[in-house]
Amino acid sequence: LLDLEKAYDKPDGVQRGLIAEIISRFEKKGFYLRGMKLMDVKKALGEQHYAEHEGKPFFPGLVKYICSGPVVAMVWEGPNVVASGRQMIGATKPHESAAGTIRGDYALTVGRNLIHGSDAVESAKKEIALWFPEGLSQWKSCQH
Ligand code: CMP
């Protein structure tokens, strides 16, 4: 029942000093950290990641936002992590996200909503390939 979820702190998560808080929530829940890195997002990666929103009025601003500073890309694994992770992250619009969720507790606007989480295992796989082309931790033993 291992499920994959890719998540990343958007630039505002890094700029506002909320990385540890966000990671901590996933850790305390018990999910397994499979990949994590601080990275600069090039425009092409931002456009690919948000390809499904291309043509929408907020697309150019969304791409600019995701490129506006380093992000922390993470891969979390665990039972039903996609569904559970999305609950922990909260609704896209911070005014609709429940208190106790990451966006409900720390975000005010949809354009600065701190964190992205994949919406399905299939999209997580695609996003992992996009954000971690080098692959994930394959640790098995000290002798591998
Ligand atoms: P996320 O769910 O991670 O992925 C799509 C993103 O598009 C969403 O977070 C928001 O950051 C952004 N988004 C969605 N709707 C709007 C909107 N109306 N204005 C600006 N950004 C938006």
Side-chain angles (χ1 to χ4, degrees), residues 28-45:
K28 286 176 188 158
K29 177 78 175 169
F31 290 130
Y32 310 104
L33 184 60
R34 293 287 312 282
M36 179 164 67
K37 62 182 172 182
L38 179 74
M39 59 183 285
D40 303 331
V41 183
K42 298 232 164 72
K43 194 175 172 204
L45 175 58

Side-chain angles (χ1 to χ4, degrees), residues 8 10 49-50 52-53 56-59 61-62 65 86 89-93 103 109-118:
Y8 62 78
K10 290 174 174 174
H49 177 74
Y50 285 127
E52 67 180 281
H53 297 293
K56 293 184 186 164
F58 59 82
F59 181 75
L62 184 58
Y65 159 52
R86 286 177 76 77
I89 290 170
T92 303
K93 296 178 182 163
R103 289 170 174 163
T109 62
V110 69
R112 293 283 179 276
N113 62 6
L114 289 170
I115 178 165
H116 167 86
S118 311

Side-chain angles (χ1 to χ4, degrees), residues 1 4-5 17 21-22 44 54 57 69 77 87 94 104 110-111 116 124 137-138 144:
L1 284 176
L4 278 178
E5 153 120 354
E21 169 64 31
I22 291 171
E54 207 171 341
E77 186 178 81
Q87 274 192 352
V110 69
H116 167 86
S137 163
Q138 295 297 319
H144 74 290

Side-chain angles (χ1 to χ4, degrees), residues 1-7 23 25-36 74-85 88 118 121 124-125 128 136-140:
L1 284 176
L2 288 182
D3 224 353
L4 278 178
E5 153 120 354
K6 196 215 51 96
I23 294 169
R25 291 182 178 220
F26 285 87
E27 272 192 314
K28 286 176 188 158
K29 177 78 175 169
F31 290 130
Y32 310 104
L33 184 60
R34 293 287 312 282
M36 179 164 67
M74 298 177 273
V75 179
W76 292 94
E77 186 178 81
N80 300 302
V81 67
V82 168
S84 206
M88 291 163 63
S118 311
V121 174
K125 285 180 184 161
I128 289 167
L136 303 178
S137 163
Q138 295 297 319
W139 191 90
K140 292 223 164 45

